[in-house]
Amino acid sequence: MPRIEVDANRCKACYLCVSVCPKKCLGKSKTISKKGYFPAVQERPQDCIGCKMCYVMCPDVAITVLKD
Amino acid sequence: MQNDVIAPENLVYAKPKLMNDTPMHYCAGCSHGVVHKLVAEVIEEMGMADKAIGVSPVGCAVFAYRYLDIDWQEAAHGRAPAVATGIKRCWPDRLVFTYQGDGDLAAIGTAETLHMLNRGENIPIIFINNAIYGMTGGQMAPTTLIGQKTTTCPYGRDPKLNGYPLKITEMAAMLNGTCFVSRQSVENVASIRKAKRAIRKAFQSAMDGKGSSLVEIVSTCSSGWKLSPVKANEWLEEHMLEFYQKGDLKDTTGY
Amino acid sequence: MTEKTLRKGNEALAEGAIRAGVRFFAGYPITPQNEVPEYMSAHIADEGGAFVQAESELAAINMVYGAAATGTRAMTSSSSPGISLKQEGITYLASADLPCLIVNVMRGGPGLGSISGAQGDYFQATRGGGNGDYRVIVLAPNSVEELGNFPKLAFDLAEKYRMPAMILADGILGQMMESMAFNFDPVDPNKLGKFDWAVDIHKNGRAKANVFSYKGDNLIADVVERAKRYGLIEKTEARFEERNCENADVILVAYGLSSRACLEAVNHAKEQGLKVGLFRPITLWPFPEKQIAALAGHCKGILVAEMNAGQMIEDVRWAVNGRIPVRHYGRFGGIVPDPSEIKEELIKFANHAE
């Protein structure tokens, strides 16, 4: 199962990943990060197809794509 | 980050090794981050990590040396191509490239840029065109579009007062010294992938001694444009790409 | 060491620079220093070096900034208005603690001025026209022989203290021919060793090197460290030449070309029974302040002769600190003072000082 991890330390909540995800499985976190942002989170990991588009789009290189 | 505990076979895609853990200072959604990542990936893929020297500009990317673990020299505003010339002439086997913004490259450093390209130095330029001076707070750039509002053309760029946006990439394509001149953008995944291929070609041509190259990346500055990152990308597609048309303007590399 | 040969000043300088191990030169044409880039373009490649005719003085000094960061002995040469343009690069080189050589074959100024020799850039050279707290080692040759030998001295000092060095000559010195010899064996740059500060990647497992001048949080510490280094240089590196100063009543202070006319004037005045001497600063920064202060303890007056409207006299007055009269004799606009007019000025001043 592919999934992603968002590094809350790097994410600045531009949500470009949210906008490009073809499965719309990303969203905004409800909790604020140490940096003061509401980072992107994978809301529905079960929908993730591991296409890496969020990784490619992320300007802060905050996303790691994994498969378990 | 939990990278330490991820089994390598499970890792699909992660931050390139050449990018360190220092979070970037760029505003949310800034194109610089994407291009930094592409540069890091290309250098890694070429196996040039030990031989790459970047020359960073004055402007937002002045801190590029903090994020990419290669050697860097920071140039005065506009002088990156001259500094790179000095390095490359002393060390021809290194991958020496410059990373410049529109104010740096197309205003204060026009002479250094065009003459370096025209000399055919084996140096690629990564040119970030976001049509604004980002670092200083959103003033008019040489590439600001007609009608675009900035802090020094608050009523929109008026050619009668401010002249016209400069298509310096088209000028570069006319020079005998250049082997590859391309205009790309990073507003969506397909564009980013094409931009990476262009950067790779430019870097390769320098190492093969084919001459100078310029890759313009039409970019966003959501803070300067006063738009959200997503809206900024839409604005880029609607307005920037209409004037700054994408594609290879010149390619004599033969790759 | 070489036999004496007849050489033009600018060519002696260029050959001396190549012998000193210079392997990168960038410049832009300007009279009266054109023989330097011309000579470099013909000869530096023979030694494996690179010559670039830049699109401007700005580009030339910034190429030197890049080349210097590789640990290569790099230089540029120009003349007064061109040196004005180079100030941006000089302050960057200083802030990045990079050694290099900048040669100013001075012409009349301000502005486009004239193409004749002058000494109007003393302030610019010793105070710096660039921004920030920085210094540049300034050597003032007064002969073709010194022009040829100072590039080596300049690089030895520049590398020792990791800062730019300048040779401040003038149009006449650059253009005139004299018999000269090189007093050092050619330097093999490969034997200078690798500099640990050079931009050279991950070599021997060391971390990446960044050469940058935007210091942010480090700025204060860097400026303090540099100021200490400058203090050490001021204490230890002042160079000068004294002629007949021990028992002199009046001492001429002059550097570069004007010191040649002054020496002649001193010799004539001595023949007439005057007790006069000549003190010649060879380094303009560090300025031989202590030595001039010592002279003020035993002579009655100092006459400063310069081919400008009065620049070095400020440093002399500073050193003398009001203890004895200090006067200026200046000829400018491309005029070299005649020894006889300096002698007359000397006699006038000697009588007045009594």
Side-chain angles (χ1 to χ4, degrees):
Chain A
M1 276 281 287
R3 64 182 173 89
I4 68 154
E5 274 176 11
V6 178
D7 184 347
N9 230 354
R10 294 182 80 100
C11 177
K12 299 196 192 102
C14 71
Y15 306 129
L16 290 177
C17 55
V18 177
S19 74
V20 297
C21 177
K23 293 289 175 189
K24 303 287 172 216
C25 58
L26 297 174
K28 304 172 188 181
S29 170
K30 301 279 184 294
T31 52
I32 199 161
S33 71
K34 265 192 262 177
K35 302 267 175 188
Y37 298 106
F38 294 96
V41 286
Q42 196 168 27
E43 285 176 339
R44 291 186 307 282
Q46 65 277 15
D47 291 348
C48 179
I49 54 170
C51 70
K52 303 178 275 198
M53 285 172 81
C54 54
Y55 167 87
V56 173
M57 200 65 205
C58 177
D60 285 291
V61 207
I63 293 174
T64 304
V65 186
L66 306 155
K67 59 175 192 242
D68 290 327
Chain B
M1 199 61 202
Q2 298 161 27
N3 273 358
D4 302 345
V5 294
I6 296 166
E9 65 273 19
N10 291 346
L11 194 63
V12 180
Y13 235 148
K15 182 164 64 64
K17 286 189 198 72
L18 282 181
M19 293 202 87
N20 56 37
D21 290 332
T22 313
M24 291 185 276
H25 73 285
Y26 302 113
C27 306
C30 176
S31 303
H32 273 304
V34 178
V35 183
H36 281 19
K37 178 170 59 180
L38 299 184
V39 169
E41 286 176 356
V42 166
I43 293 172
E44 255 179 49
E45 286 164 19
M46 288 174 71
M48 294 299 288
D50 286 344
K51 286 197 162 186
I53 302 168
V55 182
S56 60
V58 166
C60 289
V62 67
F63 297 124
Y65 64 84
R66 291 186 180 170
Y67 314 128
L68 260 63
D69 280 339
I70 55 169
D71 281 6
W72 287 92
Q73 185 167 4
E74 177 215 289
H77 202 22
R79 318 289 172 236
V83 174
T85 298
I87 302 171
K88 185 75 178 180
R89 291 287 184 111
C90 292
W91 282 344
D93 67 323
R94 308 300 204 280
L95 171 60
V96 182
F97 67 96
T98 73
Y99 187 105
Q100 301 171 256
D102 42 47
D104 188 275
L105 178 137
I108 197 166
T110 308
E112 285 78 6
T113 300
L114 291 181
H115 281 277
M116 187 281 278
L117 293 171
N118 196 45
R119 280 194 303 271
E121 306 282 349
N122 293 310
I123 297 168
I125 295 180
I126 307 297
F127 165 33
I128 305 297
N129 177 10
N130 57 14
I132 209 156
Y133 283 80
M135 185 64 124
T136 44
Q139 293 81 10
M140 183 183 66
T143 51
T144 295
L145 298 175
I146 298 296
Q148 186 184 342
K149 287 178 184 171
T150 72
T151 59
T152 50
C153 52
Y155 309 110
R157 184 177 191 153
D158 176 356
K160 279 189 205 134
L161 295 172
N162 314 116
Y164 294 88
L166 184 62
K167 287 186 171 175
I168 198 162
T169 304
E170 273 76 355
M171 292 164 74
M174 290 167 59
L175 305 174
N176 288 334
T178 52
C179 66
F180 180 59
V181 178
S182 182
R183 180 181 285 125
Q184 302 293 334
S185 62
V186 288
E187 84 289 6
N188 60 42
V189 173
S191 296
I192 292 170
R193 290 196 166 123
K194 277 188 202 151
K196 183 177 170 182
R197 280 200 290 276
I199 292 170
R200 173 73 193 251
K201 190 181 265 193
F203 281 18
Q204 191 60 50
S205 69
M207 292 322 294
D208 293 343
K210 290 177 185 284
S212 59
S213 53
L214 175 70
V215 179
E216 172 179 341
I217 312 280
V218 183
S219 302
T220 60
C221 176
S222 41
S223 293
W225 295 358
K226 310 199 189 320
L227 294 169
S228 73
V230 173
K231 289 274 178 225
N233 274 344
E234 288 167 14
W235 195 89
L236 179 143
E237 278 178 345
E238 254 175 69
H239 299 93
M240 293 281 281
L241 296 184
E242 189 189 0
F243 186 77
Y244 297 112
Q245 293 188 351
K246 296 206 299 183
D248 293 346
L249 281 73
K250 176 180 185 179
D251 185 357
T252 61
T253 59
Y255 298 138
Chain C
M1 304 293 189
T2 61
E3 299 274 296
K4 285 237 174 208
T5 48
L6 188 65
R7 284 183 197 267
K8 194 173 188 174
N10 282 337
E11 287 171 0
L13 170 86
E15 175 60 25
I18 292 176
R19 281 168 188 256
V22 168
R23 292 298 179 267
F24 183 84
F25 180 96
Y28 184 83
I30 183 170
T31 307
Q33 63 81 55
N34 291 315
E35 293 82 1
V36 183
E38 283 167 3
Y39 193 95
M40 285 293 182
S41 68
H43 299 290
I44 199 169
D46 297 343
E47 305 298 330
F51 165 87
V52 184
Q53 180 164 328
E55 59 272 25
S56 70
E57 310 293 0
L58 269 173
I61 190 70
N62 281 288
M63 288 174 190
V64 168
Y65 175 50
T70 69
T72 304
R73 286 193 163 180
M75 71 173 282
T76 183
S77 71
S78 189
S79 181
S80 311
I83 299 294
S84 299
L85 279 170
K86 288 186 198 293
Q87 296 304 326
E88 175 195 86
I90 297 172
T91 168
Y92 271 73
L93 280 149
S95 74
D97 299 314
L98 291 175
C100 72
L101 171 61
I102 301 130
V103 177
N104 183 358
V105 183
M106 284 183 281
R107 55 191 261 175
L112 198 54
S114 72
I115 58 166
S116 331
Q119 295 183 324
D121 303 346
Y122 181 90
F123 283 155
Q124 186 196 49
T126 59
R127 271 61 172 168
N131 59 299
D133 280 304
Y134 76 94
R135 289 290 192 177
V136 168
I137 293 165
V138 184
L139 302 173
N142 79 341
S143 65
V144 170
E145 181 151 302
E146 284 191 347
L147 256 182
N149 286 305
F150 277 10
K152 164 124 185 346
L153 174 64
F155 274 104
D156 289 347
L157 291 172
E159 281 165 8
K160 182 176 178 188
Y161 295 106
R162 285 196 60 186
M163 60 189 288
M166 178 180 280
I167 291 177
L168 191 68
D170 66 78
I172 295 144
L173 213 46
Q175 293 297 321
M176 71 189 201
M177 293 184 86
E178 274 189 308
S179 167
M180 64 85 63
F182 293 105
N183 62 17
F184 62 95
D185 292 325
V187 174
D188 179 356
N190 298 320
K191 289 189 180 149
L192 288 172
K194 278 268 174 197
F195 298 109
D196 59 4
W197 42 261
V199 185
D200 193 6
I201 296 158
H202 306 293
K203 281 285 156 63
N204 308 319
R206 75 173 177 81
K208 66 170 179 166
N210 290 321
V211 175
F212 56 96
S213 63
Y214 183 90
K215 297 298 165 87
D217 301 341
N218 299 328
L219 179 67
I220 296 168
D222 278 8
V223 173
V224 168
E225 185 279 319
R226 219 171 277 125
K228 272 190 197 151
R229 209 182 329 150
Y230 293 160
L232 177 69
I233 297 168
E234 281 171 338
K235 257 190 210 143
T236 55
E237 298 292 355
R239 284 167 167 75
F240 55 91
E241 182 190 0
E242 275 183 304
R243 297 280 189 111
N244 207 37
C245 286
E246 309 82 49
N247 303 309
D249 288 334
V250 175
I251 291 171
L252 267 167
V253 179
Y255 66 94
L257 190 72
S258 54
S259 72
R260 299 278 290 265
C262 286
L263 182 59
E264 193 88 358
V266 163
N267 289 337
H268 290 320
K270 262 164 55 186
E271 284 164 18
Q272 294 187 9
L274 266 86
K275 290 166 79 178
V276 292
L278 171 66
F279 184 90
R280 173 170 79 101
I282 293 172
T283 52
L284 302 183
W285 191 89
F287 190 71
E289 190 183 327
K290 268 189 301 190
Q291 290 76 15
I292 288 180
L295 295 181
H298 68 71
C299 78
K300 292 173 182 160
I302 286 178
L303 181 64
V304 181
E306 297 179 85
M307 286 154 59
N308 60 40
Q311 299 193 14
M312 181 178 68
I313 188 170
E314 293 192 0
D315 283 338
V316 175
R317 284 205 169 119
W318 192 269
V320 167
N321 202 15
R323 285 183 289 164
I324 53 168
V326 178
R327 298 276 158 74
H328 190 258
Y329 182 66
R331 297 304 304 270
F332 34 90
I335 299 166
V336 188
D338 190 87
S340 63
E341 59 188 83
I342 297 175
K343 188 190 75 182
E344 275 170 39
E345 204 61 28
L346 202 51
I347 292 170
K348 252 199 288 184
F349 184 54
N351 294 336
H352 190 75
E354 293 287 342

